[in-house]
Amino acid sequence: MSDTGIRTYTEKSRTESTEQVDSTESVSTCPECGARLEADSEHGETVCTECGLVVEEDEIDRGPEWRAFDSAEKDQKSRVGAPTTNMMHDKGLSTNIGWQDKDAYGKQLSTRQRQKMQRLRTWNERFRTRDSKERNLKQALGEIERMASALGLPENVRETASVIYRRALSENLLPGRSIEGVATAALYTAARQAGVPRSLDEIERVSRVDRMELTRTYRYIIRELNLEVKPADPESYIPRFVSDLDLSDEVERRARDLIDAARGDGILSGKSPVGLAAAAVYAAALLCNEKVTQNDVSGVADISEVTIRNRYKELLEAGEVATA
């Protein structure tokens, strides 16, 4: 057969096979009686609703093998992996070996098996961090998790701090700076961006770096990464102080009103937002006749009682509140 004949035969075969596929995919009526076809998911077949002709069989069911009758049962039976997260150096995609030393039936492993599992865990940890960059990231994210837990920060703040640290690492901002310092600065930045700031004194208490290194690294990070961080608002500290002192919602509302009044008079400029928030909470508690001492507020806000005394009088005057 000549080359022309071979090409003609090949093209004809390809055309016929394409037409067969198109005709199979476009079938929506019974080839015998012309009635509508219906998919039977229970038996994996496509049958005619009138004559019962089986047009297709042994179809693949890509759904779950279980049934659920409400959304709660569906969520309970769903078997999927955990979502990826930036709070882990490998984003949670690797496998962990448990430390329980028990088999699938809950029975204790023998001594030989425990030694074998311990060896597997060791090599698993080594393989999870392939290079120095991943080891750096693993240590930093662990530090962020530790400090965030001690400060009671929510998960979204931890996630944001992890992203900031990843950016700093990818843009090569770590040489000459400690891992703990950059991790602390990332967490401090993330807390302020999320509207749940912590004071420098609180951050320094749980961090492994001093205040000077923290502030210097913080300014460097936000400048190099072009991060937008608004000045801390005293109102963002009020809910936490009120909660820690076990005061009422009325105290929180009055404290916010005092801060708003002071902002209108320009008193907030140049003053510590933590001190203003603590003074506002103390003044609001007095106005609401709820017992709280300056020492209590000082312990929660981690500022001196002198600052509270000076600030709360200014806030009362700005709010045009008569004091006895």
Side-chain angles (χ1 to χ4, degrees):
M1 185 181 291
S2 63
D3 293 342
T4 305
I6 293 175
R7 284 198 300 270
T8 304
Y9 176 77
T10 304
E11 291 174 358
K12 181 179 180 181
S13 301
R14 187 182 300 113
T15 304
E16 289 176 352
S17 61
T18 304
E19 290 176 352
Q20 291 176 357
V21 172
D22 293 341
S23 62
T24 303
E25 292 179 349
S26 61
V27 169
S28 59
T29 59
C30 177
E32 293 290 337
C33 64
R36 183 174 58 87
L37 298 178
E38 184 177 20
D40 185 357
S41 58
E42 184 177 354
H43 299 91
E45 299 174 343
T46 300
V47 299
C48 176
T49 57
E50 293 294 333
C51 65
L53 176 68
V54 178
V55 179
E56 293 183 11
E57 60 181 351
D58 297 331
E59 296 179 1
I60 298 176
D61 184 5
R62 303 185 184 278
E65 79 283 4
W66 42 261
R67 292 189 303 169
F69 300 98
D70 54 29
S71 58
E73 187 177 1
K74 182 178 180 181
D75 294 339
Q76 183 180 5
K77 291 184 176 181
S78 177
R79 294 189 297 273
V80 295
T84 57
T85 173
N86 286 302
M87 293 186 291
M88 300 180 68
H89 72 283
D90 53 9
K91 296 190 176 182
L93 297 176
S94 63
T95 302
N96 293 326
I97 301 177
W99 296 87
Q100 288 77 17
D101 286 333
K102 295 181 180 180
D103 61 11
Y105 300 98
K107 297 180 181 179
Q108 291 290 339
L109 300 179
S110 64
T111 303
R112 186 186 182 106
Q113 289 174 324
R114 285 199 299 270
Q115 292 175 349
K116 184 177 180 180
M117 293 303 298
Q118 180 60 35
R119 187 65 176 166
L120 288 174
R121 291 189 192 100
T122 301
W123 279 104
N124 184 56
E125 286 298 317
R126 291 174 181 174
F127 284 126
R128 288 183 66 191
T129 52
R130 295 169 296 180
D131 50 29
S132 59
K133 188 174 183 179
E134 286 196 356
R135 287 193 294 271
N136 179 312
L137 190 58
K138 182 179 180 181
Q139 179 182 349
L141 297 183
E143 190 72 6
I144 289 174
E145 181 69 20
R146 180 189 66 81
M147 292 186 293
S149 179
L151 293 169
L153 292 172
E155 185 175 347
N156 65 314
V157 175
R158 308 179 191 197
E159 189 88 19
T160 304
S162 302
V163 172
I164 293 174
Y165 189 90
R166 286 176 183 272
R167 286 188 57 193
L169 183 62
S170 64
E171 297 188 19
N172 202 27
L173 301 182
L174 268 70
R177 292 167 180 81
S178 67
I179 296 175
E180 292 82 1
V182 178
T184 306
L187 184 63
Y188 179 66
T189 304
R192 292 189 59 175
Q193 286 183 332
V196 286
R198 297 296 186 265
S199 65
L200 288 172
D201 293 330
E202 292 176 295
I203 296 288
E204 184 183 11
R205 191 180 302 113
V206 301
S207 176
R208 293 191 173 99
V209 297
D210 57 25
R211 188 187 187 110
M212 182 177 295
E213 181 180 353
L214 169 59
T215 54
R216 183 170 60 245
T217 307
Y218 164 72
R219 287 193 293 265
Y220 175 74
I221 289 296
I222 62 174
R223 183 179 67 250
E224 295 298 323
L225 297 181
N226 295 320
L227 300 176
E228 294 184 2
V229 182
K230 298 180 180 179
D233 190 348
E235 290 188 22
S236 59
Y237 294 93
I238 290 176
R240 180 161 58 92
F241 293 166
V242 170
S243 177
D244 292 343
L245 293 169
D246 197 20
L247 299 174
S248 65
D249 294 339
E250 178 64 19
V251 173
E252 180 178 345
R253 187 185 65 80
R254 296 295 294 271
R256 291 180 182 276
D257 292 340
L258 291 173
I259 292 295
D260 288 339
R263 183 181 290 108
D265 288 357
I267 297 177
L268 304 185
S269 178
K271 295 182 174 62
S272 168
V274 181
L276 289 168
V281 170
Y282 177 70
L286 293 181
L287 296 175
C288 295
N289 295 321
E290 296 193 23
K291 293 183 179 180
V292 64
T293 64
Q294 294 180 2
N295 185 45
D296 295 335
V297 180
S298 174
V300 168
D302 197 18
I303 59 173
S304 66
E305 297 181 29
V306 177
T307 302
I308 296 176
R309 281 196 293 270
N310 293 337
R311 297 289 177 268
Y312 97 91
K313 294 178 181 178
E314 297 175 356
L315 293 175
L316 291 176
E317 292 175 359
E320 297 180 354
V321 178
T323 57

